Amino acid sequence: MEKKNSHQWYSIQTYGNERTVRLAILNLIEEMRLQDFITDVIVPTEDVIEVKDGKKKISERSLYSGYVFARIELNTEIQHIIQSIPKVSGFIGEANIPTPLSEHDINVILDRVQNRAAPKPKVFFDNGETVRITDGPFANFTATVDEYDLEHGTLKLNVSIFGRATPVDISYTQVEKII
């Protein structure tokens, strides 16, 4: 294969699981000896906390759903090889010409990968929403969300106790949405 340009970051759009596409690209690099052409393949993720059956579980969620980012010395042959991978829609660009990411854009993405934030709740609450408290001294009470502090993972709730609204600060893991 002939070398034309230098390595640049490209965004590859996928149908479905980005991690599967990343693994497929990594396998192609090994099988076809493409290490000189494709040097990095990433799927930026963040940690999310969800509560199931009263237990906290931390899982990963893609930051850019449907996209894989790769540092490639792109030529037509490499482009066709990557686009032939199952679940790959193609490169992001205009008129079927892949457009490299700007230095600013890729630096923002790489910064989010290298400086992972603390796990975020998978469930979000809106002000005025009614929830049921599942744990603690107010278990089985219903309450109205007054404020949701995403950074600290706490809710300010108004709980009706003896007919009076009482403000309560509680972890979001101690409540469930009422459907």
Side-chain angles (χ1 to χ4, degrees):
M1 274 185 228
E2 101 187 51
K3 289 187 172 190
K4 285 186 182 174
N5 54 3
S6 64
H7 288 83
Q8 293 182 297
W9 284 95
Y10 292 89
S11 180
I12 303 164
Q13 190 169 25
T14 68
Y15 299 115
N17 194 331
E18 304 87 16
R19 291 183 191 122
T20 303
V21 170
R22 178 181 179 269
L23 286 174
I25 294 171
L26 293 174
N27 287 336
L28 278 175
I29 292 170
E30 286 298 313
E31 290 171 14
M32 300 180 79
R33 296 184 177 16
L34 299 174
Q35 292 87 346
D36 291 343
F37 294 91
I38 306 170
T39 58
D40 290 297
V41 183
I42 61 170
V43 175
T45 59
E46 65 182 345
D47 292 329
V48 290
I49 301 172
E50 56 185 321
V51 179
K52 283 191 178 177
D53 302 324
K55 295 180 182 152
K56 278 189 200 181
K57 178 184 168 199
I58 296 179
S59 58
E60 279 189 334
R61 174 174 62 192
S62 180
L63 282 171
Y64 304 97
S65 187
Y67 294 93
V68 173
F69 301 94
R71 190 164 178 257
I72 306 171
E73 186 171 326
L74 195 62
N75 60 37
T76 307
E77 191 174 348
I78 298 288
Q79 180 180 348
H80 290 300
I81 289 169
I82 290 175
Q83 286 179 204
S84 69
I85 295 171
K87 301 216 180 268
V88 168
S89 167
F91 286 84
I92 299 301
E94 291 187 33
N96 290 334
I97 299 170
T99 304
L101 293 167
S102 71
E103 196 171 322
H104 170 75
D105 289 344
I106 192 59
N107 286 338
V108 167
I109 293 167
L110 293 174
D111 183 58
R112 289 187 75 180
V113 169
Q114 292 161 355
N115 301 309
R116 281 179 91 110
K120 293 182 179 158
K122 191 170 186 176
V123 179
F124 293 91
F125 299 94
D126 294 318
N127 290 353
E129 186 174 3
T130 303
V131 295
R132 178 180 294 104
I133 300 172
T134 59
D135 189 29
F138 299 102
N140 298 321
F141 278 81
T142 57
T144 306
V145 176
D146 194 33
E147 193 177 308
Y148 183 24
D149 183 350
L150 182 62
E151 191 174 319
H152 296 100
T154 59
L155 293 164
K156 288 186 193 265
L157 303 176
N158 280 316
V159 181
S160 180
I161 302 173
F162 304 119
R164 297 182 73 192
T166 305
V168 174
D169 286 354
I170 195 166
S171 168
Y172 76 92
T173 61
Q174 294 177 289
V175 301
E176 65 183 9
K177 290 187 173 220
I178 297 177
I179 299 172

